[in-house]
Amino acid sequence: MCGIIGITGRDDAVEGIVAGLKRLEYRGYDSAGAVIPDGQQLRAVKRAGKLEEFVHALEGQPMASTCGIGHTRWATHGAPTDRNAHPHLDPTGRVAVVHNGIIENYQLLKAELGDVRFASDTDTEVVAYHVARELDALDTPDLAEAVRRTVRRLKGAFALCFVAIDDPETIVVAKKEAPLIVAHADGVGYCASDVAALIAHTRDVAALLDGQVAVIRPDGLEITDVDGNPAQPHEYTVHWDLEAAEKQGYDSFMLKEIFEQPQAVHDTLLDRHTASEPGAAPALHLDELHIDERELARIDKVFILACGTSLHAGMVGKLAIEHWAGIPVDVEVASEFRYRDPIVDAHTLVIAISQSGETVDTIAAASHARDQRAPVLAICNVVGSTLAREADGVLYTHAGPEVGVAATKTFVTQIVGCLLTGLYLSQVRGRMFATETADILSRLQQMPAAIEQVLELDGEIRELAERYKDTDYTMFIGRHAGLPIAMEGALKLKEISYLHAEAFPAGEMKHGPIALIESGSLVVALAPGGHVFPKMVSNIQEVRARGASVLAIGTDGSAADLKEHADHVLTLPEPTHELATTVLSTVPLQLFAYHVATLRGEDVDKPRNLAKTVTVE
Ligand code: G6P
């Protein structure tokens, strides 16, 4: 995710910004930039690519200043290019901004400005325009007041950081649902999106709370709410070393990414259901769509193609599309699809799901389908990746960069992407009233809070992992929406712990797999409440009768029944939609795999033989 650093009150502010951006590199980024107030102008330098490109561009520039703000961008709106890199300035060059997050109502804010040419495709640039307008409207220039007036009107998630030429030693920041840390030490003021960028300077920091605005000057910090009333941030002292700081105190990137899932799901749902013009009815939309909606309305078949974890998300996608849009869907391993003769034509929609957008099997399968005139929609986490560029339409998941090789937060956001695609196809085919779609979306919005609740099971799951960490063989079973999650649970466990794990449709057990069950086997059963619950209970009884220990994943409604049949029950909150259970029931399986692997002493972030992005066949 984007990284922000701001420094005021140091002779070598620019070097400090570069050093801070280096500390933020681990967050993932695709361009970098900075702006410094220099005499009567704001001087900005920004470049797509690695930090070295940006540092190279700085050479020879007169960037001496005591104040500046820097940014590493991880693209969400607009491709990773020089022009979309931050900072963004208003047209008069009076105000500059860098941003982490998504401004959900940026189209409406743009429309308010009338016929203006924007210099980028981002959701951020318009914020600089509005702050400059507010500055013009004030009798005395006051950047903090202009920012407060602007952020009161912003929807979405943001950590925003501004400088203005009127007051060249002042940085103003505002935060809502994206992290922002401020600090002051030895006559220097700092801000950053995380402590990794600050601990070289100070360990006493303050995390801004949602809705707070901070004015950062060499002589101190001033923190208010959006109305200008004094406010108190969360102050703390950092005791981590640098490596731990990059992991934000977690033992591994994988664990950090598991705990980032509420935010990742929240961000993926943001900015999806908006009116394109002021006054128009809200509609669900994809990020980039070059497929005519009338063409989509005529689709008579869908292929979902993916590899690994992304394939399991695709299996949930099949359920969503068939349920909401009423189109038959096949889900297929991308590496198989291209070597047979799939029946594909212009009325077939191909949905290619890939976190990285660089998996060669998925790219090749999508291109095989395109050769046969099928439109391709990508569900992808990396803006501007090969798959995203080659597809006819893209829905981006906003999970942020994932460092751990085993996919976690990107998986749950892919499920969200699939649910949104199902709703979108239903919308273009007129299968649901707009109010029904809005109702489902508003229920999906409750997922982040529900995931937070599931994460509280961590201690209990660790105890179970202690108990079962030496079990040689674990079988995962599920039905309907539980099956893809059973498959993902088995994949997570084998990927990082190197223990044998397999998944089966629970109803298939009696046709073979049950022969493997003996005393001491562990069976993980996905058994949330819902229409297949009674069948799952029967399957649990079958394996238990043959000596297996059963760990059941249930929901508030099913847990009481399950307790009679299973050895352990992990209880999830009742989901707001049956398909949303998939997101919740994934989390305990990730944590179980994580704890088993770490208790066995394995490196969960870099499992043996595996790569994060597989660019070979
Ligand atoms: C590798 C990774 C998996 C991932 C798969 C597909 O095997 O280790 O975590 O699910 O590739 O990657 P993609 O980027 O296409 O989703």
Side-chain angles (χ1 to χ4, degrees), residues 101-116:
I102 296 168
I103 305 297
E104 207 175 345
N105 58 339
Y106 75 101
Q107 284 152 320
L108 289 177
L109 293 170
K110 275 186 172 182
E112 279 179 18
L113 294 170
D115 193 17
V116 172

Side-chain angles (χ1 to χ4, degrees), residues 278-549:
L284 193 66
H285 60 85
L286 306 185
D287 295 287
E288 287 170 23
L289 190 64
H290 308 292
I291 313 171
D292 191 315
E293 291 202 351
R294 283 166 305 185
E295 200 183 324
L296 283 176
R298 285 196 296 270
I299 290 298
D300 57 19
K301 179 178 177 183
V302 175
F303 272 113
I304 299 183
L305 307 177
C307 303
T309 289
S310 300
L311 187 75
H312 300 149
M315 292 170 68
V316 180
K318 171 184 166 75
L319 300 176
I321 295 169
E322 291 182 342
H323 180 63
W324 284 320
I327 318 171
V329 184
D330 273 348
V331 187
E332 193 161 342
V333 175
S335 54
E336 286 297 315
F337 178 84
R338 54 190 294 219
Y339 291 116
R340 62 180 184 84
D341 301 309
I343 313 300
V344 175
D345 61 23
H347 297 302
T348 309
L349 174 67
V350 166
I351 301 178
I353 307 179
S354 172
Q355 181 284 127
S356 61
E358 303 296 348
T359 300
V360 74
D361 284 322
T362 310
I363 293 169
S367 123
H368 183 59
R370 284 194 89 204
D371 291 345
Q372 293 165 72
R373 297 185 299 128
V376 173
L377 171 67
I379 297 181
C380 192
N381 195 43
V382 179
V383 174
S385 58
T386 306
L387 182 67
R389 287 199 311 272
E390 292 182 0
D392 302 290
V394 189
L395 186 149
Y396 286 114
T397 51
H398 294 299
E402 193 172 64
V403 179
V405 166
T408 53
K409 62 174 177 168
T410 56
F411 174 63
V412 292
T413 59
Q414 284 171 339
I415 293 179
V416 173
C418 285
L419 300 183
L420 292 170
T421 303
L423 290 172
Y424 176 76
L425 289 173
S426 155
Q427 173 181 287
V428 296
R429 295 163 77 84
R431 296 255 314 179
M432 258 195 259
F433 292 114
T435 48
E436 283 178 89
T437 311
D439 175 55
I440 295 171
L441 273 169
S442 79
R443 287 192 279 141
L444 295 182
Q445 307 282 356
Q446 294 164 32
M447 275 191 291
I451 302 172
E452 296 280 6
Q453 271 180 268
V454 181
L455 288 167
E456 288 172 16
L457 297 172
D458 186 41
E460 200 179 329
I461 295 169
R462 191 180 191 282
E463 282 172 24
L464 289 168
E466 279 278 7
R467 186 165 181 157
Y468 291 108
K469 68 179 189 318
D470 298 318
T471 304
D472 290 339
Y473 180 72
T474 305
M475 191 182 279
F476 290 73
I477 57 173
R479 286 171 177 258
H480 186 245
L483 178 59
I485 307 312
M487 295 176 77
E488 177 60 9
L491 178 65
K492 277 304 80 102
L493 186 59
K494 78 177 87 157
E495 274 183 315
I496 59 172
S497 74
Y498 318 136
L499 291 168
H500 287 271
E502 281 181 293
F504 295 101
E508 273 293 289
M509 294 289 291
K510 53 192 173 291
H511 299 294
I514 203 163
L516 292 165
I517 300 295
E518 56 187 359
S519 174
S521 307
L522 175 63
V523 174
V524 178
L526 279 293
H531 66 294
V532 293
F533 178 68
K535 306 284 173 208
M536 280 304 301
V537 170
S538 306
N539 299 133
I540 289 170
Q541 284 169 331
E542 284 158 16
V543 293
R544 212 140 171 250
R546 286 158 180 87
S549 300

